[in-house]
Amino acid sequence: MNSFGRIFKISIYGESHGNQVGVLIDGCPAGLAISKDDFTGDILRRKSGAKGTTPRIEDDKPILVSGVFNGFTTGAPILISFQNKNTKSDDYKDLFNFPRPGHADFTAKMKYGGYNDYRGGGHFSGRLTLGLVAAGVIAKKLISPVSVNARLVEAGGESNVEKAIDNAIKNEDSIGGVIECRAENVSVGLGEPFFDSAESLLSHIVFSIPAIKGIEFGSGFLAAKMFGSEHNDQLIDASGKTLTNFAGGVNGGITNGNPLIYRVVVKPTSSISKAQQTVNLKTGQKEELKVKGRHDVCIALRVPVVLEAVTAIVLADLMLLEQKLPRVISDKSAR
Ligand SMILES: Cc1cc2nc3c(=O)[nH]c(=O)nc-3n(C[C@H](O)[C@H](O)[C@H](O)COP(=O)(O)O)c2cc1C
């Protein structure tokens, strides 16, 4: 459904052109200092407006509906909502019968019998990642001094991202990208050997981000071309530090104390200005589609902060499970 996590549990809700989007966080310990300003930096990094992103700009002001009192988390569920104010839903009305190739218009209509809110991609919109980013702000605070950083490595196959974006805009097209995410100071012992391996949990939540097409940890697909003698990460001290990090910080599903490193592939945006072929679902006939609305040329530009958020969410959950969370919280009743 729309929830993830066992102790630090998040549920995201909303639609692109509905009243709100947001996140409900259950299981966050009491006593963590939170203010609205804490959200500003990460929300700005997800925001649109730069070249290659959608011209739809929202103010993205977080409303802390519950679970925060006098500047601290209370231990009760935290609901954070964001209003949608800048919507132009008319641009989407044709998509009900003319599904965009590559988007969720067709699958959503089939699965929900046409009751799905299709405006702006509805519940399938990248706008839902705002709730993830908000939960990530809280998770990042909880797991500190573990730090998580992600960066765009390439877009459209080019390390010169601007050039690739200019080219895509000129061709009325879109491009994808590769993002690397890295978590430092991760302790040894997070994750389970099989279904809840650190890689499985991260992959699970990473594939919940719309438009992600692939993930690789450490050496990833390159490992297939290496010898064991090259790929084996040599231990250099008793804390588990290794000379190389082809494992990406995980062995046997369990974090090994080295930086956790993974890369993801973001696909090119399906909504492009160029004419495409689709099928008119009313008549069953093939027809040309010119997608209207406001869209990102390169979604990958906005995804690094979302990856940081989901990584922090997984780490917060695992650290709570293993009781490895630093003691951020001082007991108020003792004062
Ligand atoms: C931050 C972000 C922004 C996005 N912006 C757009 C967009 O402007 N236009 C679009 O067609 N898809 C956009 N998407 C992708 C769609 O939400 C996604 O492709 C769609 O839900 C189908 O899911 P899938 O690509 O995972 O199969 C965006 C995704 C993210 C994470």
Side-chain angles (χ1 to χ4, degrees):
M1 302 298 281
N2 293 289
S3 301
F4 181 90
R6 283 167 291 177
I7 299 186
F8 190 87
K9 189 168 187 164
I10 61 155
S11 304
I12 53 169
Y13 68 90
E15 291 85 19
S16 184
H17 290 194
N19 288 330
Q20 298 180 356
V21 293
V23 65
L24 179 69
I25 306 159
D26 205 356
C28 180
L32 184 73
I34 294 290
S35 80
K36 280 190 182 174
D37 293 344
D38 291 332
F39 297 89
T40 313
D42 278 1
I43 285 175
L44 260 178
R45 289 174 62 208
R46 201 207 72 95
K47 230 183 177 54
S48 53
K51 184 159 51 165
T53 66
T54 170
R56 173 183 174 186
I57 307 210
E58 292 279 3
D59 68 18
D60 291 347
K61 290 222 166 76
I63 305 167
L64 300 176
V65 182
S66 70
V68 180
F69 178 58
N70 285 337
F72 290 90
T73 55
T74 62
I78 302 166
L79 181 69
I80 307 171
S81 81
F82 299 88
Q83 288 180 324
N84 295 323
K85 296 177 179 166
N86 185 356
T87 56
K88 286 190 186 166
S89 301
D90 268 4
D91 288 341
Y92 293 85
K93 61 180 190 304
D94 292 344
L95 300 179
F96 190 65
N97 289 317
F98 295 85
R100 284 168 290 179
H103 212 287
D105 302 331
F106 177 77
T107 50
K109 184 172 182 179
M110 293 300 124
K111 184 171 173 75
Y112 300 112
Y115 287 100
N116 58 299
D117 180 349
Y118 53 83
R119 301 166 303 165
H123 190 59
F124 298 82
S125 165
R127 181 134 181 86
L128 275 283
T129 59
L130 188 52
L132 292 176
V133 169
V137 167
I138 294 182
K140 281 179 180 176
K141 280 198 124 184
L142 264 184
I143 65 175
S144 170
V146 175
S147 62
V148 190
N149 292 290
R151 65 183 180 98
L152 184 64
V153 178
E154 59 171 64
E158 296 255 12
S159 53
N160 186 339
V161 171
E162 189 161 354
K163 185 175 151 208
I165 289 170
D166 284 341
N167 197 35
I169 293 173
K170 195 177 80 204
N171 294 319
E172 300 190 310
D173 220 320
S174 63
I175 49 174
V178 176
I179 299 160
E180 181 168 285
C181 187
R182 193 180 169 98
E184 309 268 356
N185 300 322
V186 179
S187 57
V188 182
L190 304 179
E192 303 293 328
F194 287 92
F195 307 114
D196 290 328
S197 72
E199 298 113 311
S200 314
L201 294 170
L202 281 165
S203 303
H204 185 170
I205 198 163
V206 161
F207 278 115
S208 312
I209 302 170
I212 300 289
K213 278 296 169 203
I215 187 166
E216 61 175 15
F217 288 84
S219 54
F221 277 66
L222 261 185
K225 295 184 180 147
M226 295 170 79
F227 290 108
S229 54
E230 295 170 288
H231 191 265
N232 298 339
D233 296 317
Q234 199 187 117
L235 282 159
I236 53 170
D237 68 25
S239 75
K241 194 171 165 30
T242 55
L243 192 60
T244 51
N245 187 8
F246 294 122
V250 185
N251 289 117
I254 298 168
T255 55
N256 64 18
N258 290 280
L260 181 69
I261 301 174
Y262 69 87
R263 280 171 298 281
V264 304
V265 178
V266 182
K267 75 178 190 184
T269 320
S270 52
S271 305
I272 53 175
S273 308
K274 216 181 213 157
Q276 301 176 84
Q277 287 294 312
T278 189
V279 165
N280 178 339
L281 294 179
K282 260 188 173 168
T283 63
Q285 298 301 306
K286 274 193 187 168
E287 287 194 34
E288 191 181 90
L289 174 70
K290 271 228 148 202
V291 175
K292 290 188 256 175
R294 297 166 293 175
H295 300 281
D296 293 295
V297 171
C298 178
I299 295 166
L301 291 171
R302 301 176 64 199
V303 171
V305 68
V306 185
L307 282 187
E308 289 176 12
V310 297
T311 305
I313 289 164
V314 168
L315 292 175
D317 198 35
L318 287 175
M319 288 165 82
L320 280 163
L321 273 165
E322 296 286 340
Q323 302 190 335
K324 280 193 172 151
L325 212 57
R327 185 101 189 122
V328 280
I329 292 146
S330 60
D331 193 346
K332 211 176 175 189
S333 55
R335 274 186 240 148

